[in-house]
Amino acid sequence: MLPQAPGVDRYPMAEVIPDDRDMTTVTIESDGPQSKTGTVYTVDENVVITYGDRVVRADHVEFDTETGELTATGHLRVTGGRNHEDIKASHGTMNMKDQTGRFYDVDGSVGLKNPASHAMVYANSNPFLFTGRMVVRTGPEEYEIYDGTLTSCQLPNPDWMLYAGKFTVDSVKAKAQKSVFRLMNIPVLFLPYVTHPVDAESRQSGVLIPELPITHSSTKGFVTGEQFYWAINRSADVTVGAQYYSLRGWEQSGMFRYRGLGNDFAKARYSGLLDRGITTNGVYLNQGGEDVTFSGRHDFSAQTRIVGDAEYLSSFAYREAFAEGFSLAVSSDIFSVFYGVHEADGFSESIRSDRYQGLKLSAVAATPTTPAIPEEQVRIFHAPSLDFSGTEHELGRSGLFWSFEASQAGLSRVQPSFATGGLTQRLDVHPEIAYPMSFGGWNIRASAGLRETVYNRSRHAPYGPNALPVELPSSLNRSDGEVEVEVRAPVVERTFDSKKVEKMFGHDLRHTIEPEFTYRYVGGVNNFLNVLRFDDVDIASDTNELEYGVTQRLFLRPVKEKPCKEAVKSKTNPNLDNEIDQVQRQEDSSNNGKDRKPTCGSRELISWKIAQKHFFNEDFGGAVVNGARNIFDTTLNFSGVAFLTEPRAISPLISRLRVRTSEHMDLEWDFDYDTGAKKFTSDNVFVDVHENNIFAGLSYARLNAPGRFYTEGVTSAVSDFDQLRVLLGYGSPTKPGLGVAGNIGMNLNTGSSALVQYEAVQASYNWNCCGFSVEVRKYELGVTPSDTAERFSFTLLNIGTAGNLRKTASLF
């Protein structure tokens, strides 16, 4: 049968053939002559046979509709199936009813949507490509590949491949025995048995790629290890393993993961070291320990859930010596919490139990004549706490809004040379009523509240600086009254839209000035020194203060109107994006009663806030202890840096400057300047730059503030550190090509420790479907011996990673 007109490429045959086994419709199309002898169809030229979700293409096909036997020659290609199978062969035979067949001179793929394209598109997370002298199809999704290769790289020149005399592939996995791993077509490794997942929704248990003793650490030696992975079901898995450090001993590890419906999840991790110790400069150190973490969540409904996030660390010295990254190695505060909460109609009821573990001093190394000073810890428990709160609700239509916070908690505190006697009971009730108003661009919020707190134990007072707490069995009742008035003046603004400005910036400039004032009075706390300290509820004090500040912003606005679109979010400061969005919504909706065009396309260039407090009650109702570091809720909410060591009338001046020159650069400079002492108590600079494959970061932190209390006879008058971190790199962990990065951390206050605390250099190269990375790093953390280590990783796309360079420790 010929085409009806020139240009018609194909047309269907007149007969539709049902599959007797599953009644799937089989359709045959072609561009050339067709004939039928009995039950056998002979079709030529661009033949396309469709049955179910599979398609067969070839130059010549003979098909028996009675037996289902099909013989195809010339550019044979079979595609489809649940796992996106694609087989290309010179010729082959198939049985359409039994879904079996034989194919010769084959190359194909599983899990790729478009394997013929230069850019592979994955249909699942476990794609692979294969070749074979012969492929036997033994079932709908079962194959045997003879004298073949398997890879996840683009053919015909893969970066790596497995060669075996026979591969067996089913709907779950591909497996082979006596295979050879080739890299750049060079035989590298003989594998007695190997498997690869096929089903995107299933995982398989087995032994993971081992960690070979190739790299070396100056304090750990050579490292070798192995892990076993158990896929419990589609929602949960377990990984257990062990590592052997030639200079230290055995480390055990384990991880459990669960992912349920919605937000439900659970994750647990364990690591522990049986350290046989190390001798450095004649001094013996044992840095063994254990670290256990757990996090999880379960939602009973949209309003009710239980959440847990916990960690147990037996030794800070273990973390310093064996943590994967510098940030974790120096993290000494551990917080664990479990809570259940129900929220509805602006009210919240919860039950909570938490534990704070502060490791204040790491283990100081012993000398031949001086014993080691053990770690010193502060542990605070809430066991449990019942919390109730309500957001602001209007009283009828009066314009008055009421809210409250209340809690009943059992508390405990343990620190060197002091421990509370059992659980201290505390009841805290804090209602508040507020009246917001606005007129002529002014926004005012006045509020008044009461606070009543009852303890069944108290603290002996008065006491001097750095004195150990002395617990008394007598109860304590703390009451206060609170008044607060917050005033926000109209925003002062000016738009610079001259030709010169537009030429220089490519935008109009808008400058806004937002002044604000807050007066706060708290009275009635005449027993502050008698309160035992557990959390921020216990640092409420008398105050009579005025906070004043101003925020200036500079916006860039396109000269030409642009349609609204979602802004590119900051990678370094997501809070800044929320602040910008809020300001733009406010400005777009109103202009003190005047109309304004929408500011779609505007973005904030600079935000700078400066603020200060004046204290009319300089000793906070007798709460200030001369010579000690005093922290009250009013000072803590204003600045995270302590500054009260004596009665004073003026707080430090705080400055918060953020600059976002483009989507590729963010800068932040925060400082607290003590105008009385004429010094910076804190000074922090953060810079983030990323442009194409180039990235860089810088952080500078300076702290010169009252020191912490440790134990009797061991104090620090001033917390004084001066640190600099620099990161510079080129490349990407997911793009082909070369990548190089380096970072360094320096302690500029060299009087206390080494100048360089850590440094690392990493180089990587990615091919089409594999990559290699190597890193050299050095840590110098004071009490922990200096450690220099080399680490590497070799990654096969969609297969796994070999080596000891973890993702969390990578510079990219």
Side-chain angles (χ1 to χ4, degrees):
M1 194 172 176
L2 299 176
Q4 297 295 323
V8 177
D9 295 328
R10 70 183 57 214
Y11 53 91
M13 294 185 65
E15 185 173 357
V16 177
I17 306 166
D19 187 323
D20 294 336
R21 185 174 62 86
D22 60 5
M23 301 304 294
T24 299
T25 299
V26 178
T27 304
I28 303 177
E29 300 175 290
S30 73
D31 292 343
Q34 308 167 7
S35 63
K36 180 179 180 183
T37 303
T39 60
V40 178
Y41 285 84
T42 302
V43 190
D44 289 290
E45 295 187 22
N46 296 331
V47 182
V48 179
I49 299 179
T50 303
Y51 66 105
D53 59 351
R54 297 181 185 270
V55 178
V56 179
R57 293 179 172 85
D59 294 338
H60 174 81
V61 172
E62 296 178 4
F63 177 51
D64 191 327
T65 59
E66 183 176 354
T67 64
E69 292 289 338
L70 181 149
T71 301
T73 58
H75 302 95
L76 171 60
R77 184 172 185 180
V78 182
T79 59
R82 184 169 60 94
N83 291 322
H84 292 267
E85 300 154 21
D86 190 316
I87 296 177
K88 291 178 284 186
S90 61
H91 61 286
T93 61
M94 301 176 60
N95 188 291
M96 306 288 279
K97 293 185 178 181
D98 298 338
Q99 299 192 48
T100 59
R102 288 176 177 262
F103 309 93
Y104 300 89
D105 307 319
V106 176
D107 67 79
S109 66
V110 174
L112 296 179
K113 289 185 178 180
N114 188 14
S117 66
H118 295 290
M120 297 187 294
V121 179
Y122 300 152
N124 64 45
S125 58
N126 302 307
F128 68 89
L129 299 92
F130 59 88
T131 65
R133 177 182 58 83
M134 179 178 67
V135 173
V136 179
R137 183 180 181 187
T138 59
E141 295 180 341
E142 292 80 37
Y143 297 89
E144 294 177 351
I145 304 171
Y146 293 89
D147 297 331
T149 65
L150 185 146
T151 182
S152 61
C153 303
Q154 186 73 56
L155 298 175
N157 299 308
D159 298 332
W160 69 269
M161 62 181 179
L162 284 172
Y163 175 83
K166 179 182 177 181
F167 290 95
T168 302
V169 182
D170 56 29
S171 60
V172 177
K173 62 184 177 181
K175 56 185 178 181
Q177 297 179 353
K178 300 179 181 180
S179 62
V180 177
F181 175 76
R182 293 173 175 262
L183 181 63
M184 303 302 174
N185 207 30
I186 300 174
V188 174
L189 186 64
F190 174 77
L191 299 172
Y193 181 78
V194 65
T195 64
H196 184 281
V198 174
D199 188 356
E201 297 182 356
S202 67
R203 299 161 295 167
Q204 67 181 70
S205 304
V207 178
L208 302 182
I209 300 174
E211 183 174 338
L212 301 177
I214 298 176
T215 59
H216 183 266
S217 166
S218 60
T219 62
K220 305 178 183 68
F222 290 99
V223 184
T224 183
E226 182 57 286
Q227 291 180 310
F228 178 80
Y229 175 78
W230 177 29
I232 302 173
N233 52 45
R234 63 180 298 177
S235 301
D237 58 31
V238 170
T239 304
V240 295
Q243 287 182 312
Y244 179 74
Y245 301 100
S246 62
L247 295 180
R248 309 305 291 270
W250 287 97
E251 183 181 50
Q252 312 83 41
S253 63
M255 181 174 66
F256 169 80
R257 300 185 304 175
Y258 165 79
R259 188 71 189 184
L261 298 176
N263 294 320
D264 290 2
F265 78 96
K267 180 184 292 186
R269 185 188 299 269
Y270 167 82
S271 65
L273 177 71
L274 301 174
D275 190 12
R276 61 173 179 262
I278 187 173
T279 300
T280 304
N281 299 324
V283 178
Y284 172 79
L285 288 176
N286 187 309
Q287 297 173 313
E290 295 177 307
D291 191 4
V292 184
T293 62
F294 170 83
S295 59
R297 170 173 173 164
H298 174 66
D299 290 5
F300 296 98
S301 66
Q303 295 80 30
T304 308
R305 63 185 179 274
I306 55 174
V307 179
D309 188 357
E311 180 175 10
Y312 167 76
L313 178 65
S314 66
S315 169
F316 185 43
Y318 168 62
R319 169 170 286 182
E320 281 187 313
F322 291 92
E324 285 291 336
F326 177 80
S327 297
L328 180 60
V330 298
S331 176
S332 62
D333 289 341
I334 300 170
F335 186 72
S336 301
V337 60
F338 291 90
Y339 69 88
V341 61
H342 175 75
E343 299 170 319
D345 301 323
F347 296 97
S348 172
E349 308 89 38
S350 66
I351 180 171
R352 171 172 57 97
S353 179
D354 61 55
R355 176 181 185 267
Y356 168 79
Q357 181 184 11
L359 300 166
K360 301 308 177 187
L361 285 177
S362 60
V364 178
T367 67
T369 59
T370 305
I373 299 176
E375 293 177 348
E376 300 188 349
Q377 302 185 15
V378 174
R379 297 189 296 273
I380 301 174
F381 300 89
H382 291 69
S385 176
L386 301 176
D387 302 312
F388 307 91
S389 65
T391 59
E392 291 189 342
H393 291 72
E394 188 174 7
L395 290 170
R397 297 183 179 181
S398 64
L400 291 172
F401 292 83
W402 65 275
S403 62
F404 75 95
E405 294 178 341
S407 66
Q408 167 66 54
L411 309 166
S412 174
R413 181 185 182 108
V414 178
Q415 68 184 56
S417 303
F418 174 75
T420 56
L423 290 179
T424 298
Q425 300 299 320
R426 183 186 69 193
L427 173 64
D428 180 63
V429 180
H430 187 198
E432 183 182 81
I433 190 167
Y435 184 72
M437 63 190 92
S438 60
F439 53 88
W442 290 80
N443 293 284
I444 301 175
R445 183 182 184 275
S447 63
L450 299 173
R451 188 164 208 162
E452 187 76 18
T453 311
V454 180
Y455 301 83
N456 72 333
R457 290 184 176 92
S458 58
R459 178 179 180 177
H460 174 74
Y463 48 83
N466 303 326
L468 289 173
V470 176
E471 186 183 50
L472 300 177
S474 57
S475 61
L476 177 70
N477 185 30
R478 185 191 68 187
S479 304
D480 70 55
E482 306 171 2
V483 175
E484 182 176 300
V485 179
E486 181 181 355
V487 180
R488 294 180 180 267
V491 176
V492 180
E493 67 172 31
R494 180 180 177 183
T495 299
F496 300 87
D497 54 2
S498 66
K499 296 295 183 182
K500 185 177 181 179
V501 172
E502 293 178 0
K503 183 178 180 181
M504 181 179 301
F505 295 96
H507 299 76
D508 291 343
L509 292 181
R510 180 193 298 162
H511 179 213
T512 65
I513 302 175
E514 306 165 26
E516 55 185 286
F517 308 88
T518 301
Y519 173 77
R520 184 166 181 255
Y521 174 84
V522 179
V525 183
N526 53 14
N527 50 6
F528 179 86
L529 297 179
N530 296 107
V531 177
L532 293 165
R533 310 284 189 266
F534 301 99
D535 54 34
D536 57 350
V537 173
D538 307 314
I539 57 176
S541 68
D542 283 354
T543 187
N544 186 7
E545 65 186 46
L546 176 65
E547 179 181 345
Y548 43 90
V550 61
T551 301
Q552 299 189 70
R553 306 179 194 273
L554 192 62
F555 292 91
L556 293 178
R557 187 171 59 179
V559 177
K560 297 181 179 179
E561 293 185 2
K562 295 183 178 181
C564 296
K565 64 179 181 180
E566 183 178 356
V568 177
K569 298 299 183 184
S570 170
K571 295 182 179 180
T572 59
N573 196 347
N575 292 330
L576 179 59
D577 295 300
N578 297 332
E579 187 175 317
I580 294 172
D581 294 342
Q582 182 179 4
V583 171
Q584 289 187 347
R585 285 195 299 268
Q586 291 174 350
E587 293 184 347
D588 293 343
S589 62
S590 67
N591 182 20
N592 298 335
K594 300 178 182 179
D595 294 334
R596 175 183 291 163
K597 295 181 179 179
T599 58
C600 295
S602 298
R603 66 178 181 86
E604 187 178 78
L605 176 64
I606 298 175
S607 172
W608 184 22
K609 176 182 178 180
I610 56 175
Q612 194 172 39
K613 281 190 175 184
H614 180 87
F615 303 112
F616 302 101
N617 186 347
E618 298 183 10
D619 67 351
F620 296 84
V624 174
V625 177
N626 284 322
R629 187 178 74 158
N630 297 271
I631 299 177
F632 309 132
D633 61 346
T634 182
T635 62
L636 185 62
N637 293 334
F638 182 68
S639 171
V641 179
F643 58 86
L644 273 177
T645 58
E646 59 186 1
R648 62 185 296 169
I650 300 293
S651 76
L653 178 72
I654 66 168
S655 172
R656 306 292 183 258
L657 174 66
R658 299 186 179 102
V659 180
R660 193 177 188 186
T661 59
S662 68
E663 298 170 354
H664 307 286
M665 180 176 177
D666 294 279
L667 181 148
E668 184 172 345
W669 180 23
D670 301 336
F671 68 79
D672 292 11
Y673 182 75
D674 194 327
T675 55
K678 294 182 172 54
K679 68 174 185 179
F680 288 94
T681 54
S682 72
D683 192 4
N684 304 291
V685 179
F686 309 94
V687 181
D688 177 31
V689 179
H690 48 278
E691 180 69 37
N692 296 325
N693 285 335
I694 299 175
F695 59 91
L698 179 146
S699 65
Y700 170 76
R702 174 81 172 103
L703 178 66
N704 186 8
R708 275 185 180 176
F709 161 76
Y710 294 114
T711 61
E712 187 174 10
V714 183
T715 61
S716 173
V718 177
S719 294
D720 187 8
F721 69 85
D722 197 358
Q723 297 181 331
L724 178 68
R725 309 278 185 262
V726 180
L727 169 67
L728 182 64
Y730 172 83
S732 169
T734 59
K735 296 180 181 179
L738 177 67
V740 180
N743 71 342
I744 187 171
M746 294 180 288
N747 180 12
L748 304 182
N749 185 3
T750 56
S752 59
S753 60
L755 172 62
V756 178
Q757 293 180 314
Y758 74 91
E759 53 189 327
V761 177
Q762 181 179 335
S764 66
Y765 192 87
N766 294 328
W767 289 270
N768 177 26
C769 60
C770 61
F772 181 80
S773 296
V774 60
E775 179 188 270
V776 179
R777 73 169 191 182
K778 180 179 180 180
Y779 282 177
E780 182 73 51
L781 298 180
V783 298
T784 301
S786 173
D787 178 59
T788 301
E790 305 90 27
R791 299 188 290 186
F792 84 98
S793 67
F794 178 68
T795 302
L796 300 179
L797 182 66
N798 301 299
I799 300 295
T801 299
N804 57 356
L805 178 55
R806 312 296 182 192
K807 182 179 179 180
T808 55
S810 176
L811 301 184
F812 292 94

